[in-house]
Amino acid sequence: MLDFPTWRKVWLWLITGLCIAAALPSLLSATSVRWPDVLPDPMVNLGLDLAGGSHILLEADAAQVATQRLENMEENVRNTMRRAEPRIRIGDVSTRDGRLSFMLDDPGQVDRARELLLPSINGTGLVREWDLAVEDGNRMILTPTSEGIDQAVGDAMESATEVVRKRIDELGTREPTIIRQGDTRIVVQVPGLQDPDQLKALLGQTAKLEFKLVDQNALPSDVQQGLAPPGSEIFAYADTSAFAGSSLAVRRLGGIRGDNLTGAQQSFDPQTNEPVVNIQFDSDGGRRFAKLTTENVGKPFAIILDDTVLSAPNINEPIRGGTAQISGGFSVETANQLAISLRSGALPVDLAVIEERTVGPDLGADSIKRGMLAMLVGSLLVIALMIASYGRFGVYATVALVINVAMLLGIMAALNTTLTLPGIAGFVLTIGAAVDANVLINERIREERKRGRRVIAAVENGYKEASRAIYDANVTNFIAGVLLFLFGSGPIRGFAVVLIIGLFTSVFTAVTLTRMWVADWLRKSKPKDIVL
Amino acid sequence: MKLLKLVPDDTNIKFLRWRIPFFAISILLIAASWALVFTKGLNYGVDFAGGLEVRATFTQSVEAPVGELREKVATLGYGDPVVQRFGEDNQVSIRVRLPDDVSADKEAAQAAANDIVETLQSDYEDFRLDGNDNVSGKVSGEFRQTALYALLAAMAAIALYIWVRFEWQFGVGALFALFHDVSLTLGMFSLFQMEFSLQIIAAILAIIGYSLNDTIVVYDRIRENLKKFRKMELPALLDLSVNETLARTVMTSVTLLVALLPLLLFGPASLFGMVAGITLGLFVGTYSSVYMAAPILVWLGVTSDSFVPTETVADQQEKKARGLV
């Protein structure tokens, strides 16, 4: 018991020192000492429930990815067959029941058609993306494989996360956290942002921009009833547009998409002074835009954003400079949002907000202040009680307790975990466990003394006998913590992480460190009796 | 220096003598708790029920106009709102459980939240929005499910570990004590209709942790005494074990209580529910370790043979006396 070799002491102090050093930035930040920015972020992250800010959980519509993919395939099939030499004529194209089917006019071309489609069917990755079957000799059926859909959803989520990150960076908020969660979700946490509406408006926009020619042959009465002529489709005007409430028929093919943008800025139309968005195409996009406008001077073309028509101006002259202006009843704010969305690219899939939490920064700061005060008072009471009950051993216990808190903070900072409200429950539990360990040990030493054991034997037995209960209690709580982490959702996990780390620090400080101090003291002063 | 002793030395309280009435009361309380939970239900917060919650401070008022707010929000047509004081007298939490068709439609849910906030902001000049939560029915369903699974998995694993380390009777005893604690806590939350949120789950987990600590300390002593006093009657042995650990039980509970009380009295409002839950659990957990976890062993029939000691302390002393060691 008294035998504490020097190397072991050095070891213990080294661990303690390291953990406390890791905690220092977090502790000092409370007293507003700046930590140099060059060093990796060393502070314990405070969850948004403590620090204030916005938390948004976005969910992607996986079915939409599948539908979109089917539509893309349809377009791909049409283009491939049209460009084939000689051209392969197809008809009765349908995308019902989640699969694409079409008929070849000439059954003799089936093998060539299959050959041409092979690259699209196999995809670029390792998984086969489509199954191809031929029915009745000339009907080809493409069915998406589930692996292919999974991969498409995965890819879409990956780029969606990237787009979300770009858009939020444009907001200029500090240290946003954007993490993919599960198969179809993205968590966005922005500390300090109190008004999430702006954020949501920004993320709710897919920003799929299209320029399509207006079908002038469509009968207005048909269009209003939702009947599109062959080769056309119908889009409603945006709510902000002057024609809100009515619809427009546009030609399916021959339009261009806003994929090739290099820039987008909010500005004002010099004539009407209304807010507009200026966009710039890259060379490829500019060339196609120039071609479209040159070939269709005098005709109207629709500017379509996320499947609603913003405006449908006439093409007065070819637009060759690779720039264009989008108008459509914007306010300065909405125009700016659109510009940001366009700059960061279109979302490959619609994202919906399924959970949203905001905590005002005032409240968070107030919570922390009051929490700190309460904890301080609580700690002082605990210290007083421990010292009054156990004298010198109580002093050791409380010093160990303080080190425990510092170590726990330090390890949390080093592991870059986040402290949330449920985490505070874990903190309280950890402190409780540490106090309990010392109470157990000290009570046991008392008992051993009462039985007439001599000082050193009593202390030795006290530690030994109490350790069994401490060990069992900690292992059980550890098992519980691990399971909570595995099965629990966000807030429960926050609790579990603190609990697990806390079990280690509390055993280390309450058992090992106090034992070292007690051993030192016993060896140095060789007391005949101890006050306990 | 005279040190403080919360429990006098050598207590000899006959805890086990009252085991049948105490057990009967506890079983009744457990039954009553579940009856409450099933009839009155839990006051689910938006975490578990879905819907939206708006928290606000009326910066210029001494007291938030709770009744008026309830009527105002009700006229907006999103069903009956729950309006509660929250922390200070001028702080409120307004919860609206959206109808399913609105809740499923994300934009409608959004519009509802904006509608409520804007209406109140225009009606009250000193309305300061402190925060709002908006949880869709899908997410809240998942929260309920994962919380339940996590709790059940943790409890099962705890019982299993105690069975392996002690004996099956101890595993059953510990599980029963935990069940008792969780039941009574849920019953309290149902009785007082305190908001039941994810934070409360964290509190329940902390309660389980404390209660478990207590139970294991008592069990450890029982295990030790079973080896030491092989001839002693079980009730007497249990009484002895509880008495021996009583000083520790009281000391730990009081220490934690003095740490929790300041948090309860002047800690942040956002922590109140959680701290109240933990404080409640401290009492319930301590009680269950002494009055449930130990007495149940009498009925489950623990014997000293459970720990198959190859030789007892008495045997060892005898050997020593004969000079065999």
Side-chain angles (χ1 to χ4, degrees):
Chain A
M1 153 80 210
L2 295 186
D3 190 33
F4 251 91
T6 316
W7 64 266
R8 217 175 144 207
K9 276 195 213 164
V10 171
W11 209 195
L12 292 181
W13 281 119
L14 204 67
I15 295 173
T16 314
L18 271 179
C19 293
I20 294 179
L24 277 180
S26 306
L27 294 172
L28 290 180
S29 74
T31 57
S32 75
V33 175
R34 285 278 299 156
W35 186 253
D37 285 338
V38 274
L39 293 171
D41 184 29
M43 276 189 264
V44 172
N45 299 318
L46 289 179
L48 295 182
D49 48 358
L50 294 173
S54 292
H55 162 109
I56 289 179
L57 184 60
L58 298 161
E59 188 173 58
D61 188 355
Q64 190 204 350
V65 176
T67 315
Q68 192 119 44
R69 210 162 149 262
L70 206 58
E71 280 168 11
N72 289 349
M73 194 50 159
E74 181 190 344
E75 202 177 319
N76 175 35
V77 166
R78 284 182 195 274
N79 285 337
T80 311
M81 297 306 145
R82 199 175 52 222
R83 284 183 202 141
E85 290 287 341
R87 182 170 177 171
I88 302 175
R89 293 194 177 276
I90 58 170
D92 193 21
V93 184
S94 125
T95 53
R96 256 172 302 173
D97 303 327
R99 54 186 209 165
L100 171 67
S101 77
F102 57 94
M103 228 144 74
L104 299 185
D105 288 0
D106 176 4
Q109 290 177 310
V110 164
D111 285 339
R112 253 183 53 74
R114 186 202 301 271
E115 202 178 308
L116 287 170
L117 287 176
L118 218 53
S120 336
I121 290 170
N122 287 333
T124 49
L126 293 170
V127 298
R128 197 151 66 119
E129 296 183 3
W130 300 82
D131 284 329
L132 175 64
V134 180
E135 272 175 19
D136 305 332
N138 68 340
R139 173 171 286 282
M140 301 186 88
I141 297 166
L142 285 163
T143 318
T145 62
S146 61
E147 296 87 6
I149 292 180
D150 287 350
Q151 187 177 315
V153 171
D155 290 349
M157 287 306 289
E158 203 165 295
S159 54
T161 312
E162 206 39 56
V163 172
V164 166
R165 179 165 298 136
K166 274 191 206 156
R167 290 192 189 175
I168 290 173
D169 282 346
E170 295 261 4
L171 274 180
T173 48
R174 76 192 154 95
E175 298 168 42
T177 312
I178 296 131
I179 310 169
R180 250 185 87 177
Q181 190 181 68
D183 291 337
T184 55
R185 290 179 181 175
I186 302 173
V187 181
V188 176
Q189 295 190 322
V190 189
L193 184 79
Q194 215 191 139
D195 173 22
D197 286 349
Q198 201 190 357
L199 187 63
K200 279 183 299 183
L202 202 56
L203 298 181
Q205 207 160 37
T206 308
K208 187 178 77 180
L209 186 65
E210 291 165 301
F211 301 92
K212 287 186 169 175
L213 288 170
V214 173
D215 187 345
Q216 290 170 297
N217 298 327
L219 290 169
S221 57
D222 282 355
V223 171
Q224 295 321 318
Q225 279 172 29
L227 297 172
S232 290
E233 54 193 332
I234 292 179
F235 290 117
Y237 269 99
D239 292 342
T240 51
S241 143
F243 303 100
S246 57
S247 302
L248 193 66
V250 298
R251 304 251 286 274
R252 259 178 211 279
L253 299 176
I256 57 175
R257 286 190 189 170
D259 295 352
N260 315 65
L261 292 183
T262 55
Q265 297 85 29
Q266 184 263 319
S267 80
F268 293 93
D269 185 310
Q271 271 140 41
T272 61
N273 215 20
E274 74 165 14
V276 292
V277 177
N278 286 330
I279 55 173
Q280 292 91 41
F281 288 101
D282 62 12
S283 56
D284 183 35
R287 203 162 42 239
R288 283 190 295 149
F289 196 65
K291 187 162 174 270
L292 177 84
T293 49
T294 311
E295 285 170 2
N296 296 288
V297 171
K299 294 180 193 164
F301 79 124
I303 302 173
I304 301 163
L305 178 72
D306 294 348
D307 293 341
T308 55
V309 180
L310 289 178
S311 56
N314 267 316
I315 302 170
N316 296 328
E317 53 188 303
I319 303 169
R320 293 212 175 84
T323 63
Q325 190 179 73
I326 306 172
S327 61
F330 296 123
S331 67
V332 174
E333 217 168 62
T334 53
N336 198 30
Q337 265 163 14
L338 177 59
I340 291 178
S341 302
L342 291 176
R343 274 204 296 275
S344 29
L347 281 172
V349 56
D350 283 343
L351 297 174
V353 177
I354 53 169
E355 185 195 349
E356 178 211 329
R357 292 167 193 276
T358 319
V359 176
D362 303 337
L363 199 70
D366 186 50
S367 292
I368 293 175
K369 213 187 296 162
R370 299 180 66 152
M372 287 285 200
L373 180 69
M375 281 207 199
L376 195 71
V377 175
S379 311
L380 289 178
L381 289 173
V382 170
I383 289 172
L385 194 59
M386 289 295 278
I387 295 177
S389 299
Y390 301 121
R392 171 181 288 273
F393 288 77
V395 174
Y396 291 148
T398 53
V399 176
L401 198 60
V402 173
I403 294 180
N404 181 28
V405 172
M407 284 180 78
L408 182 49
L409 270 178
I411 293 177
M412 287 185 70
L415 295 181
N416 208 14
T417 54
T418 303
L419 183 63
T420 57
L421 274 178
I424 289 183
F427 229 93
V428 177
L429 185 57
T430 298
I431 292 170
V435 169
D436 188 50
N438 280 118
V439 171
L440 269 172
I441 293 166
N442 294 340
E443 289 293 339
R444 196 70 194 222
I445 297 174
R446 260 186 191 172
E447 259 180 74
E448 298 289 325
R449 282 292 290 159
K450 249 180 351 201
R451 282 184 199 156
R453 284 233 162 79
R454 290 213 297 207
V455 171
I456 290 179
V459 171
E460 198 165 343
N461 259 331
Y463 271 93
K464 204 180 108 201
E465 298 291 332
S467 293
R468 216 178 32 238
I470 296 172
Y471 172 84
D472 275 329
N474 280 297
V475 174
T476 351
N477 268 321
F478 176 76
I479 292 172
V482 170
L483 281 163
L484 292 177
F485 186 81
L486 293 179
F487 286 90
S489 51
I492 295 181
R493 286 188 158 201
F495 171 85
V497 168
V498 178
L499 179 65
I500 292 170
I501 302 172
L503 287 175
F504 287 101
T505 59
S506 68
V507 170
F508 180 80
T509 55
V511 181
T512 313
L513 286 187
T514 61
R515 207 172 119 182
M516 176 172 77
W517 298 329
V518 172
D520 264 358
W521 172 66
L522 286 179
R523 204 173 36 222
K524 272 186 202 130
S525 62
K526 298 193 174 54
K528 283 262 171 343
D529 192 12
I530 45 175
V531 187
L532 199 69
Chain B
M1 188 171 71
K2 188 92 174 76
L3 292 179
L4 175 72
K5 276 195 184 141
L6 295 175
V7 176
D9 286 342
D10 302 316
T11 52
N12 188 16
I13 305 167
K14 302 275 184 242
F15 290 102
L16 272 276
R17 181 185 289 165
W18 303 101
R19 64 177 181 270
I20 293 173
F22 270 119
F23 228 85
I25 292 171
S26 290
I27 299 265
L28 274 178
L29 283 178
I30 293 174
S33 296
W34 285 107
L36 269 176
V37 171
F38 283 119
T39 56
K40 210 168 171 185
L42 288 164
N43 177 11
Y44 282 131
V46 291
D47 288 343
F48 291 126
L52 49 98
E53 176 177 6
V54 173
R55 291 177 303 277
T57 305
F58 289 82
T59 50
Q60 305 295 318
S61 319
V62 184
E63 222 175 78
V66 172
E68 219 177 289
L69 285 171
R70 197 171 289 136
E71 277 169 30
K72 256 191 193 134
V73 178
T75 56
L76 293 175
Y78 302 109
D80 262 344
V82 179
V83 181
Q84 285 174 326
R85 287 242 164 74
F86 166 81
E88 305 294 319
D89 282 347
N90 62 349
Q91 294 183 313
V92 281
S93 131
I94 302 162
R95 257 184 299 139
V96 183
R97 221 164 272 182
L98 296 177
D100 280 348
D101 53 326
V102 178
S103 185
D105 178 354
K106 285 115 188 173
E107 273 164 28
Q110 209 49 64
N114 291 344
D115 190 12
I116 292 172
V117 171
E118 275 162 24
T119 305
L120 296 179
Q121 260 166 348
S122 64
D123 285 358
Y124 298 95
E125 274 183 3
D126 61 339
F127 181 91
R128 183 188 83 191
L129 182 66
D130 287 332
N132 71 293
D133 290 346
N134 193 346
V135 181
S136 81
K138 188 174 172 189
V139 176
S140 65
E142 285 173 12
F143 277 147
R144 276 203 303 269
Q145 205 171 39
T146 57
L148 185 69
Y149 286 164
L151 266 177
L152 290 181
M155 281 171 68
I158 288 166
L160 197 69
Y161 175 78
I162 295 179
W163 172 29
V164 171
R165 279 286 293 176
F166 293 79
E167 266 304 310
W168 69 266
Q169 292 93 334
F170 291 79
V172 173
L175 198 59
F176 184 75
L178 293 186
F179 177 69
H180 168 268
D181 301 341
V182 174
S183 306
L184 261 56
T185 312
L186 289 181
M188 285 290 187
F189 272 88
S190 175
L191 181 65
F192 295 114
Q193 289 290 301
M194 287 165 72
E195 186 178 334
F196 194 80
S197 62
L198 273 170
Q199 272 187 40
I200 303 306
I201 295 287
I204 290 182
L205 296 174
I207 292 169
I208 290 183
Y210 283 139
S211 176
L212 203 59
N213 249 19
D214 264 356
T215 305
I216 287 178
V217 169
V218 175
Y219 276 4
D220 176 68
R221 191 54 76 101
I222 295 173
R223 176 171 57 182
E224 194 183 326
N225 284 338
L226 276 172
K227 289 185 209 167
K228 210 149 80 185
F229 308 106
R230 303 201 56 174
K231 297 270 150 53
M232 198 185 275
E233 288 286 321
L234 194 54
L237 186 136
L238 298 180
D239 262 342
L240 174 73
S241 308
V242 174
N243 272 296
E244 279 180 351
T245 50
L246 192 62
R248 170 265 155 202
T249 305
V250 173
M251 180 68 191
T252 299
S253 304
V254 172
T255 315
L256 292 176
L257 196 60
V258 300
L260 287 172
L261 279 182
L263 272 173
L264 201 58
L265 294 179
F266 50 85
S270 48
L271 275 178
F272 184 83
M274 192 170 82
V275 178
I278 296 178
T279 312
L280 176 76
L282 187 63
F283 288 102
V284 179
T286 309
Y287 166 81
S288 73
S289 310
V290 172
Y291 281 101
M292 302 286 109
I296 204 174
L297 296 178
V298 177
W299 291 301
L300 293 175
V302 178
T303 65
S304 50
D305 296 332
S306 304
F307 296 99
V308 225
T310 43
E311 49 185 12
T312 62
V313 176
D315 291 340
Q316 281 173 356
Q317 279 166 352
E318 207 181 332
K319 271 186 186 173
K320 240 179 215 161
R322 289 180 185 172
L324 292 174
V325 180

